[in-house]
Amino acid sequence: MSIPTLERSVSRVATGRVRVQRPVVAPELRISDNPAAAVLRAATGGPISRDNAARTTGLSIATVNRQVSALLNAGLLRERPDLTTSGAVGRPRVPFEVDHDTYLTLGIHIGAAATKIVVADLRGRILGGLAIATPQTGQEFATTTVARSAKAFLQRWHRRKPLWAGVAIGGRVDPLTGVVDHPKLEWKGAQVGAVLGEVLELPVSVAPHVEAMAGSELLLPNPEPREGQQRGSSLFFYVRETAGIAVTLDGRVHTPSNGPGSIAHLPTGSDVECTCGRRGCLEVTVGDRALHARAVGRGIIPAYNGTAGSTIADLYRAAAAGSVPARELLAERAAMLGSTVALVRDMLNPDRVILGGQAFTGYRPGIAHVAEAFRQSSSLPPTDIRISGFGGKVQEFAAVVTSLSALYADPLSAMRRTAFAD
């Protein structure tokens, strides 16, 4: 399947020069059957021989040799003659690996409260990053501010060539245009892809962030790999400021045509009032900001920590320091999370469940409460359930996989696109 494309448009500026509008390219959150993609993926874990690449990918030696040659010419792979087995003769015996020194991609996760900007190499490993507060002063100002911050950060990496930018964000995303509706930020029709492309002068992909998190489990080297992770079905359940789910089926993230579904208003039985007019909706009960407000309201932590406002981290620190009310509040949230995950799991019955977001990872003792509530609430047999191996960096890796997905789906086509955009 070819990468979805948009025609580039050009406009004359006052000087008479041509200004090129960078394309927005739909992300490809799937394991591609493209042979070049398979060979590139085989090399992301480190140097590999052509024989081993053939065994790993299921391709013939002749096909592997052709793809390696094409990827070497494109600059995505490099050979490692220093690793050639003693006595081996001929170029096919020379191991190859992903060139992880020449290029980078830029990933941006725009959250309700904070925006993370990172750069990664072609193996999907983060090289560095920064965090800024997500501007709350209107979508045009916010998207431009994020784009300019990203460009300034990118300039620190002048020795590497940037190939692509990826944006992971909540709300509803049109992947073909990069236009975003984000109710929590009060964005409507925000031109995220177009603004980023114009400022960064790079091809841009924009993805719903929970779908991208599920994609990172499929496509990026996982710190905690598990056999069979790419087969069957997975439910990815995310909670931090917002709550969301995504489903993967046989190596592909399910991407509904009208945007991801919502679990924000699933009932929890709490008495917390929601903006929708009901009480007990999931997001306002277990989200970080809502939990912090309840902790302040109950006097568990102060509203201000010194000269600055307190945060959810102050609640975690209070619990770690032995505060019984803090521990009880966090255990209460963990139990609600576990029972809600069980409810969704029982509806979908996936082969495995992956939990992501700081609501799960910010306070590690809470995991036991999540597990116990899940066990008691689920009516199905036990299943494979775990915390994402990306831990507290699921947002950053969601942005990384969005920035790499086009390259991982069809690397040669993607490199031609980047050359066309130069």
Side-chain angles (χ1 to χ4, degrees):
M1 182 172 123
S2 62
I3 299 174
T5 63
L6 291 179
E7 294 295 330
R8 294 192 314 169
S9 61
V10 297
S11 60
R12 297 278 176 185
V13 295
T15 60
R17 296 170 60 188
V18 174
R19 184 178 67 183
V20 178
Q21 297 285 76
R22 304 295 164 177
V24 176
V25 181
E28 295 273 353
L29 301 175
R30 63 186 178 90
I31 297 173
S32 173
D33 55 5
N34 177 286
V39 171
L40 182 68
R41 188 167 61 250
T44 56
I48 188 171
S49 70
R50 287 161 172 80
D51 288 345
N52 284 337
R55 283 191 288 271
T56 299
T57 62
L59 300 172
S60 68
I61 285 290
T63 299
V64 168
N65 284 334
R66 285 195 299 272
Q67 302 308 322
V68 169
S69 296
L71 291 166
L72 288 169
N73 289 335
L76 294 172
L77 296 182
R78 63 187 179 190
E79 291 187 312
R80 292 291 305 274
D82 56 308
L83 299 179
T84 305
T85 304
S86 177
V89 178
R91 182 168 295 276
R93 299 296 182 184
V94 179
F96 62 90
E97 66 180 2
V98 171
D99 183 345
H100 51 80
D101 294 322
T102 302
Y103 302 110
L104 61 76
T105 62
L106 177 74
I108 304 167
H109 178 268
I110 301 176
T115 291
K116 306 288 183 66
I117 302 170
V118 296
V119 294
D121 64 24
L122 297 188
R123 300 170 297 181
R125 298 181 183 180
I126 293 176
L127 304 172
L130 61 82
I132 63 172
T134 301
Q136 307 289 322
T137 50
Q139 62 193 47
E140 292 184 11
F141 176 81
T143 51
T144 301
T145 299
V146 169
R148 289 175 177 170
S149 297
K151 184 165 187 174
F153 180 67
L154 194 58
Q155 289 170 348
R156 302 182 192 179
W157 305 85
H158 57 88
R159 293 185 179 179
R160 291 174 178 256
K161 180 183 177 181
L163 295 178
W164 215 278
V167 182
I169 185 169
R172 294 193 177 274
V173 176
D174 182 339
L176 292 175
T177 63
V179 172
V180 176
D181 294 335
H182 197 304
K184 215 167 187 69
L185 288 173
E186 298 182 352
W187 292 6
K188 183 70 175 176
Q191 302 287 324
V192 174
V195 171
L196 267 293
E198 179 72 14
V199 173
L200 296 172
E201 300 182 315
L202 292 172
V204 178
S205 297
V206 186
H209 67 165
V210 183
E211 290 180 4
M213 292 171 197
S216 68
E217 298 286 333
L218 290 176
L219 296 171
L220 299 182
N222 198 308
E224 299 177 9
R226 292 199 178 190
E227 186 67 26
Q229 186 67 37
Q230 298 168 348
R231 297 190 297 271
S233 58
S234 298
L235 167 67
F236 191 96
F237 198 107
Y238 170 81
V239 181
R240 190 180 189 183
E241 291 289 354
T242 59
I245 59 170
V247 173
T248 65
L249 299 168
D250 291 327
R252 179 187 293 268
V253 178
H254 175 55
T255 54
S257 58
N258 62 344
S262 174
I263 60 170
H265 299 286
L266 283 180
T268 65
S270 80
D271 63 354
V272 181
E273 187 173 354
C274 182
T275 54
C276 72
R278 297 191 293 264
R279 290 184 177 273
C281 294
L282 179 67
E283 201 166 270
V284 296
T285 301
V286 300
D288 275 6
R289 193 176 302 182
L291 194 72
H292 170 261
R294 290 209 298 285
V296 171
R298 296 181 188 181
I300 298 172
I301 57 174
Y304 290 90
N305 182 6
T307 59
S310 62
T311 68
I312 191 70
D314 291 288
L315 178 61
Y316 297 151
R317 281 191 286 269
S323 167
V324 173
R327 291 180 176 179
E328 289 177 344
L329 181 59
L330 289 166
E332 177 187 308
R333 174 173 74 166
M336 287 184 179
L337 287 170
S339 60
T340 306
V341 172
L343 172 69
V344 178
R345 180 261 177 151
D346 284 9
M347 286 191 295
L348 301 178
N349 196 18
D351 295 312
R352 64 197 66 86
V353 178
I354 304 168
L355 309 177
Q358 283 74 5
F360 294 106
T361 62
Y363 180 64
R364 284 286 175 171
I367 295 173
H369 296 285
V370 173
E372 178 61 18
F374 178 86
R375 185 189 66 78
Q376 291 184 359
S377 301
S378 178
S379 61
L380 298 180
T383 190
D384 177 10
I385 180 170
R386 65 177 178 86
I387 301 293
S388 169
F390 297 113
K393 289 188 175 291
V394 290
Q395 293 91 354
E396 290 95 324
F397 281 104
V400 167
V401 80
T402 306
S403 72
L404 284 167
S405 68
L407 284 157
Y408 281 7
D410 191 341
L412 300 176
S413 175
M415 289 300 285
R416 287 193 293 270
R417 184 185 298 278
T418 62
F420 180 67
D422 281 342

